[in-house]
Amino acid sequence: MMRIPLATYRLQFTPDFQFSHAQAIVPYLAELGISDLYASPILTARKGSTHGYDAVNPKEISPHLGGMEAFDTLIQELKPRNMGWLQDIVPNHMAFDSQNYILVDVVENGPDSQYHDYFDIDWNHPYEGLKGRVLAPFLGKFYGDCLESGELQLKYGETGLSINYYALSFPIRIESYSHVLMHNLSELREKLGRDNPDFVKLLGVLYMVRYIPSGAERRERYEQITFIKRMLWELWNDSPEVKEFIENNIQTFNGEVGNAASFDRLDKLLSEQFFRLSYWKVGNEELNYRRFFTVNDLIAMRVEEKHVFDTTHSFILKLVEEGKFTGLRIDHIDGLYHPVEYINRLREKAPDVYLVVEKILEPHEDLPLNWAIQGTTGYDFMSKVNCLFSQQSSEADFDAIYQSFIGETVSSEEIIDEKKRLIIGKHLAGDIDNLAVVLKQISERYRYTSDFTMYGLKRALVEVLAMFPVYRTYVSPEGFRKTDRECLRDVIDKAKEKIPNFTNELSFIEKCLLLESDANLPEEEKQLWLRFLMRMQQFTGPLMAKGVEDTAMYAYNRLVSLNEVGSSIAQFGISIDEFHAYNQNRASRWPHAMSGTATHDTKRGEDVRARLNVLSELPQEWEHHLRNWHAINAPLKDTVEGLDAPAHNDEYFLYQTLLGAYPFDPAEHDSFIDRVKEYVIKACRESKVHSSWQLPDSDYEKAYTDFVDRILKNTDDNLFLQEFRPFQRKIQHYGICNSLSQTLLKMTAPGVPDFYQGTELWDLSLVDPDNRRPVDYEKRHHFLKDIKAQIDSDLPGLVSQLLKSPDDGRIKLFLIHQVLKARHAYAELFQRGTYEPIPIVGSLKGHLVAFMRELSDTRMIVIAPRFPTAIIKEGEYPIGESVWHETRLLQPPGSTTVWHDLITGREIDTEETIWIKETLTQFPVALLVSEEVGSRGVDG
């Protein structure tokens, strides 16, 4: 039977936070009400990995996290508490690293490797220098410079001969050993004598190298290589003369700095390997393997091949079968060649495992219904609940404020188009070239398209990719979804409008994408067209991710709370009706999908967004302060290449960042400055306007960080801080109100609420690595124990106290604990109950979100305010008659007249209506349950 989590808690395992650390906090998580631990990747990753997505061994629990023994001990800690384990798995890629034994075997043996087809490598690339070799773009400068500076070193050890570049080490193919071992062999013969046993043994090694098996004799090849290496290692250790001979030859091959010709031997040796070392920037323009997005050192797997799936998933499925993994989270599902086939294969092997996918859905995009999963990891929910707190009527005001401040007219659509084309041209050029080559090969097969040039086809292809409105379509051998066909047609139509001179090429691409030929194609050619389409689908996602998420969202700063993973920067909020429609659809189709408000990948913390959404309610006040701060700080800017730095767009971004992330505790001010400085450098490079990761502008970055230092200098005469702090405190207070509503909605709407590590207190983090800082669990556990004790002794007194002192975050922790208790007490209702909006009557109905969850005779009502600035003063909460006046909920027919508030413990008497002024009297949000079932003891 499938285990559906009641609430998950995401932990980021690192060498500094291992299984033993997680074991120590299990009692706390259980007390909080978490049902399932949600783990970042835990299979063996590259040594020192801080995220685990760079796996090097798919058949082993990472020893850097404590290994199998510590993992089993942690599992045993969970079992008595009936807690499950949701595991993040990474089917798309592994680390391109010498620690990856599968890849090492490939670069050593090439086509004779037992893993030759495991990685998504084009061994028949049209560029001569890449045929039969995989590009390894990891050099810090041009190959020739690295070679002649002595940075590329031939070395020998027990595992054989290898080429080394700092920490990178790749074995050379066994056939190349002869070059090293035959150099000056005659001198060794003269020194030892022809009949010397060690010399004879070395000749035996050379003979075996010369006649190494290949092709079908794979087992014999591996056995012979093992024997050769063992014999050579014995000679190295037993014969000082042979050891000296090998050492001298290695020294000769490694050349002499300053003597270019001395590196010819090593250059020739490298030219015959199954890998080609190159400058790292080459990977963006000439590439013959698929990467994870644009990350050179993450190489994609061909998991669509069954034997690759079996090898990389056997250990995972074993842990599922043993009940240690009760759920799986699939990373980057859009990177796979055939996502549906992958899901079906996984589901067949693990029919009862809870299964969710990391998937970005655009605002009006639906998850394919034929996926045998429980839903997404919750970016779609995060977008909806975040947009709910953005005042839609302020969009025009914010457009005007933003454009006036930065001094230019921009639109989100223009920025997205510009940034996607930037990524195509500078970061995915090699990938696009490879697609164009396949397209050219197809076109040459038909007389009506044989004259299409590579330039024309590539130009048309770039337009198609730039116009793509979603992460990807899912056309497969099984056919098209209606939405996929409509999407592809719409993309082609827009591309034809944009570049009418390439209509012929676009019409041909249209036929390929829609698999519509003018003639009856042979099956072989149909498969070629389909392979092109399915291959193209793998690249639209990385383009969206890099162009929009990682670039446009740092360049278009109208209201940065809306610039979040899974959101559209063009969407300035949603209506309550849209929120309800989304949840009703979710309840009927994906009731067990995850609901997140923060992840390891989010651009800013959930409570940073909650604060910044307050600005959408105060456009005129925001503009006033923005202009004032700009005038105050103008003298504090430096000049870089004749222009003030930071630029207005970056300054606009900075002020929002400060408002959203400014700490509650003044003692954190200095560390906050350092965090902001690191953050603005990353944001500046991501936006790719004044700096970039490829070409950092240190002068601009220094001017930017110096500006941060100056405006945040904690002195009595800092006029900016004097002007900033009052408005920041105002935003902070209203942000608390937003945060409490957001938190309640996440835990009560259809879906499984997920909590990112540490966010049970205020989450004022910025993008990684800031959001992966250590979490103080001792403080959180202490707070929770104190809260539980006061709930039992004086719940009204506790609520009053929390409202008076919200800064430490206990008020959020209290809310989470109370609602998670309710989720456990009414688990069936939350997992299977219906979702119905509740009609609201009154002048303030636009400031309230209310809905009902119902199952059998149990009814639960959720009440969450929004847009607080218009209904309460700073320092107040949306509580009582003075706020809500005549605003009321119309009870569904047949409802009870007595409701029980699961947050405050109050009983509320009603008739046909629920008066908000009588419901929200002690706490800013409410969770009501019918009195008949309100005696389940969720107060304690």
Side-chain angles (χ1 to χ4, degrees):
M1 181 177 177
M2 183 179 296
R3 174 193 173 92
I4 305 298
L6 285 171
T8 58
Y9 192 93
R10 171 76 177 207
L11 290 176
Q12 293 296 113
F13 285 102
T14 74
D16 295 324
F17 188 88
Q18 302 181 7
F19 299 133
S20 58
H21 299 97
Q23 182 183 343
I25 67 169
V26 166
Y28 159 69
L29 296 178
E31 285 182 55
L32 180 60
I34 299 300
S35 69
D36 290 66
L37 194 152
Y38 170 22
S40 64
I42 61 170
L43 302 185
T44 300
R46 191 161 31 197
K47 188 175 181 180
S49 173
T50 60
H51 50 75
Y53 290 96
D54 46 358
V56 296
N57 188 342
K59 297 185 175 182
E60 177 185 66
I61 297 288
S62 174
H64 313 307
L65 304 180
M68 192 71 200
E69 184 177 351
F71 170 73
D72 280 339
T73 303
L74 174 53
I75 292 293
Q76 293 307 311
E77 191 76 22
L78 297 175
K79 283 188 175 179
R81 297 173 171 85
N82 192 30
M83 294 177 72
W85 184 291
L86 173 60
Q87 182 56 55
D88 192 346
I89 62 171
V90 190
N92 179 67
H93 57 269
M94 295 181 72
F96 196 141
D97 192 276
S98 46
Q99 298 172 51
N100 183 345
Y101 75 93
I102 298 177
L103 182 67
V104 164
D105 193 284
V106 172
V107 299
E108 181 175 15
N109 293 291
D112 290 309
S113 170
Q114 60 185 315
Y115 306 114
H116 182 250
D117 63 347
Y118 272 52
F119 298 98
D120 204 343
I121 301 168
D122 180 5
W123 295 102
N124 297 308
H125 196 276
Y127 294 170
E128 199 61 37
L130 291 177
K131 280 186 177 175
R133 309 170 72 191
V134 59
L135 188 72
F138 303 116
L139 303 182
K141 50 191 177 184
F142 287 117
Y143 163 77
D145 293 334
C146 288
L147 180 72
E148 294 183 13
S149 64
E151 293 174 78
L152 302 181
Q153 290 281 304
L154 180 66
K155 292 183 180 180
Y156 176 71
E158 186 174 1
T159 58
L161 288 164
S162 61
I163 293 294
N164 298 263
Y165 177 72
Y166 298 102
L168 189 69
S169 178
F170 283 145
I172 68 170
R173 58 190 296 189
I174 199 71
E175 290 87 349
S176 295
Y177 278 48
S178 58
H179 296 306
V180 180
L181 299 179
M182 292 187 69
H183 182 70
N184 287 333
L185 186 63
S186 59
E187 294 182 8
L188 181 65
R189 182 179 62 236
E190 291 177 9
K191 185 174 185 179
L192 291 177
R194 183 185 299 273
D195 298 326
N196 179 279
D198 292 332
F199 184 73
V200 171
K201 197 172 183 180
L202 181 60
L203 289 179
V205 167
L206 285 167
Y207 180 83
M208 285 187 289
V209 166
R210 183 176 181 182
Y211 295 102
I212 194 80
S214 186
E217 300 174 333
R218 179 173 286 165
R219 173 182 286 184
E220 291 83 350
R221 176 185 176 85
Y222 276 101
E223 290 175 351
Q224 193 157 316
I225 288 174
T226 300
F227 187 68
I228 288 170
K229 290 183 177 181
R230 184 180 300 130
M231 286 184 65
L232 197 59
W233 184 242
E234 289 176 1
L235 282 169
W236 174 273
N237 288 289
D238 297 342
S239 172
E241 294 84 3
V242 172
K243 180 179 181 180
E244 182 183 14
F245 165 74
I246 295 174
E247 286 178 331
N248 289 339
N249 285 356
I250 288 174
Q251 184 177 354
T252 300
F253 271 73
N254 283 334
E256 178 185 349
V257 176
N259 179 2
S262 67
F263 293 95
D264 290 349
R265 291 186 181 86
L266 186 57
D267 182 36
K268 185 176 186 304
L269 185 75
L270 283 165
S271 71
E272 62 181 40
Q273 302 311 308
F274 294 118
F275 59 92
R276 178 194 147 198
L277 289 166
S278 74
Y279 184 30
W280 67 271
K281 289 185 179 180
V282 173
N284 288 330
E285 298 176 12
E286 293 182 6
L287 198 68
N288 70 332
Y289 68 93
R290 185 168 60 85
R291 304 168 290 180
F292 171 73
F293 294 170
T294 59
V295 184
N296 287 348
D297 57 4
L298 293 177
I299 184 169
M301 307 288 291
R302 298 187 66 223
V303 75
E304 64 271 14
E305 299 295 336
K306 188 176 183 302
H307 60 283
V308 179
F309 175 93
D310 291 341
T311 299
T312 55
H313 287 67
S314 60
F315 184 60
I316 292 169
L317 292 168
K318 176 176 178 287
L319 295 175
V320 169
E321 186 178 348
E322 293 172 351
K324 294 174 181 177
F325 290 170
T326 55
L328 297 176
R329 179 259 198 197
I330 304 170
D331 180 67
H332 190 40
I333 189 73
D334 281 347
L336 306 186
Y337 184 73
H338 195 341
V340 178
E341 180 185 66
Y342 172 82
I343 290 169
N344 291 341
R345 189 172 283 160
L346 190 59
R347 179 57 78 197
E348 181 184 356
K349 299 284 187 179
D352 296 324
V353 75
Y354 175 75
L355 200 59
V356 289
V357 299
E358 184 207 29
K359 166 65 188 163
I360 305 297
L361 294 166
E362 292 303 304
H364 303 293
E365 184 185 6
D366 293 321
L367 192 64
L369 287 172
N370 64 332
W371 288 11
I373 60 174
Q374 275 54 65
T376 71
T377 55
Y379 286 123
D380 46 324
F381 177 85
M382 179 167 61
S383 173
K384 292 295 188 292
V385 77
N386 181 54
C387 283
L388 185 64
F389 293 91
S390 176
Q391 180 64 269
Q392 287 180 289
S393 61
S394 296
E395 181 173 10
D397 289 332
F398 266 77
D399 283 340
I401 293 167
Y402 178 48
Q403 293 178 18
S404 173
F405 188 84
I406 66 173
E408 58 181 308
T409 301
V410 296
S411 71
S412 58
E413 292 82 2
E414 291 169 347
I415 293 290
I416 289 172
D417 185 71
E418 172 194 329
K419 297 306 181 182
K420 287 177 75 172
R421 292 176 191 277
L422 173 68
I423 297 301
I424 289 172
K426 289 193 173 182
H427 302 270
L428 291 174
D431 301 290
I432 307 305
D433 279 348
N434 293 340
L435 279 176
V437 166
V438 176
L439 195 59
K440 174 69 172 171
Q441 291 170 346
I442 295 175
S443 73
E444 288 175 342
R445 302 168 78 101
Y446 314 106
R447 57 177 174 264
Y448 58 89
T449 57
S450 60
D451 284 342
F452 288 163
T453 65
M454 177 64 80
Y455 170 80
L457 290 171
K458 184 178 177 182
R459 180 70 182 85
L461 185 59
V462 164
E463 205 62 37
V464 169
L465 294 171
M467 291 290 170
F468 232 74
V470 293
Y471 269 66
R472 68 167 283 172
T473 50
Y474 298 96
V475 182
S476 70
E478 289 72 38
F480 288 79
R481 295 183 304 156
K482 180 182 177 182
T483 53
D484 290 336
R485 190 178 294 276
E486 290 173 349
C487 175
L488 292 170
R489 286 194 187 281
D490 186 56
V491 165
I492 293 292
D493 289 344
K494 289 180 178 178
K496 287 178 179 177
E497 290 180 16
K498 188 86 172 182
I499 51 169
N501 291 343
F502 294 86
T503 298
N504 291 333
E505 287 86 350
L506 286 167
S507 295
F508 170 61
I509 292 176
E510 181 177 20
K511 291 179 184 296
C512 289
L513 296 184
L514 297 174
L515 305 179
E516 296 175 348
S517 171
D518 294 330
N520 292 322
L521 288 179
E523 185 60 30
E524 178 187 349
E525 296 195 19
K526 286 182 182 178
Q527 291 303 313
L528 185 62
W529 286 37
L530 179 62
R531 279 198 296 274
F532 166 73
L533 169 55
M534 293 181 70
R535 172 63 77 180
M536 192 197 78
Q537 290 178 137
Q538 288 182 285
F539 288 100
T540 54
L543 176 55
M544 285 287 283
K546 297 307 296 181
V548 182
E549 277 182 41
D550 292 346
T551 309
M553 284 189 177
Y554 288 97
Y556 183 75
N557 299 319
R558 177 178 61 176
L559 182 60
V560 297
S561 55
L562 304 176
N563 294 9
E564 192 51 87
V565 182
S567 297
S568 167
I569 61 176
Q571 187 174 38
F572 201 94
I574 62 171
S575 68
I576 292 176
D577 288 344
E578 288 177 274
F579 182 70
H580 286 321
Y582 167 80
N583 283 319
Q584 286 177 305
N585 180 66
R586 213 175 200 227
S588 65
R589 296 184 175 187
W590 307 104
H592 308 310
M594 295 179 74
S595 302
T597 44
T599 76
H600 57 289
D601 279 334
T602 40
K603 303 298 182 188
R604 45 193 60 80
E606 61 185 48
D607 298 317
V608 175
R609 293 194 304 273
R611 280 186 185 179
L612 289 175
N613 281 329
V614 176
L615 291 179
S616 72
E617 305 173 49
L618 306 168
Q620 286 75 34
E621 197 169 345
W622 161 237
E623 183 175 27
H624 166 74
H625 288 294
L626 182 66
R627 295 293 180 186
N628 185 33
W629 299 339
H630 175 66
I632 291 171
N633 292 331
L636 303 181
K637 291 189 176 186
D638 288 330
T639 300
V640 177
E641 295 183 358
L643 299 174
D644 286 346
H648 286 193
N649 193 36
D650 289 336
E651 185 181 0
Y652 188 95
F653 173 89
L654 173 62
Y655 294 143
Q656 290 185 77
T657 299
L658 299 182
L659 284 171
Y662 200 81
F664 284 96
D665 186 352
E668 296 178 23
H669 184 86
D670 289 346
S671 61
F672 176 66
I673 295 174
D674 292 334
R675 290 171 51 213
V676 171
K677 287 161 64 176
E678 292 178 10
Y679 177 61
V680 298
I681 288 176
K682 178 166 185 173
C684 188
R685 292 181 182 179
E686 294 283 21
S687 71
K688 303 171 185 65
V689 177
H690 299 287
S691 190
S692 68
W693 294 107
Q694 282 191 304
L695 194 63
D697 187 330
S698 57
D699 291 337
Y700 185 86
E701 291 176 359
K702 185 177 186 304
Y704 200 166
T705 54
D706 285 349
F707 182 72
V708 171
D709 270 326
R710 290 165 189 154
I711 70 171
L712 293 180
K713 188 176 182 181
N714 200 8
T715 58
D716 293 338
D717 62 350
N718 187 333
L719 182 58
F720 167 69
L721 284 182
Q722 292 173 21
E723 295 288 321
F724 170 78
R725 280 174 172 153
F727 186 59
Q728 188 279 325
R729 283 193 289 267
K730 179 177 181 177
I731 297 298
Q732 173 179 291
H733 174 74
Y734 290 123
I736 288 171
C737 299
N738 278 352
S739 295
L740 295 176
S741 290
Q742 175 178 262
T743 300
L744 176 66
L745 294 174
K746 175 174 75 172
M747 291 189 287
T748 55
V752 176
D754 173 48
F755 298 87
Y756 181 65
Q757 58 180 30
T759 60
E760 58 272 34
L761 298 183
W762 300 129
D763 175 22
L764 301 181
S765 61
L766 301 167
V767 76
D768 70 283
D770 192 68
N771 63 8
R772 304 184 192 189
R773 288 171 293 149
V775 177
D776 187 345
Y777 284 110
E778 287 188 12
K779 178 170 77 172
R780 284 161 174 77
H781 202 175
H782 172 75
F783 280 171
L784 181 59
K785 287 179 178 177
D786 185 56
I787 286 169
K788 290 178 67 177
Q790 291 187 69
I791 288 173
D792 292 338
S793 62
D794 182 14
L795 180 52
L798 170 63
V799 170
S800 177
Q801 178 195 69
L802 293 175
L803 290 173
K804 290 176 183 175
S805 55
D807 290 11
D808 58 14
R810 289 182 304 136
I811 189 171
K812 185 181 180 184
L813 181 65
F814 161 77
L815 175 62
I816 291 171
H817 177 58
Q818 289 292 77
V819 180
L820 288 184
K821 281 193 297 183
R823 286 191 68 87
H824 281 268
Y826 302 99
E828 286 291 303
L829 179 142
F830 280 109
Q831 292 188 340
R832 300 195 295 114
T834 60
Y835 177 101
E836 291 296 333
I838 296 181
I840 305 172
V841 176
S843 57
L844 300 181
K845 66 179 184 179
H847 292 269
L848 212 59
V849 183
F851 57 84
M852 183 175 70
R853 306 297 307 276
E854 182 176 12
L855 183 67
S856 300
D857 296 329
T858 307
R859 284 178 168 176
M860 193 171 287
I861 290 177
V862 177
I863 303 173
R866 66 172 191 157
F867 303 155
T869 63
I871 59 175
I872 58 174
K873 296 177 182 179
E874 180 184 348
E876 297 178 346
Y877 292 95
I879 292 173
E881 183 174 4
S882 63
V883 176
W884 293 110
H885 305 294
E886 87 292 5
T887 306
R888 58 199 182 274
L889 307 183
L890 300 183
Q891 286 201 132
S895 292
T896 179
T897 59
V898 180
W899 294 84
H900 185 71
D901 187 351
L902 299 177
I903 298 172
T904 65
R906 293 178 62 243
E907 286 188 359
I908 300 165
D909 294 321
T910 66
E911 293 182 1
E912 294 180 354
T913 61
I914 297 175
W915 294 90
I916 303 303
K917 64 185 179 183
E918 296 174 357
T919 305
L920 299 182
T921 60
Q922 292 185 1
F923 202 72
V925 298
L927 180 61
L928 310 180
V929 69
S930 300
E931 173 61 21
E932 286 82 359
V933 292
S935 57
R936 299 194 186 188
V938 296
D939 291 342

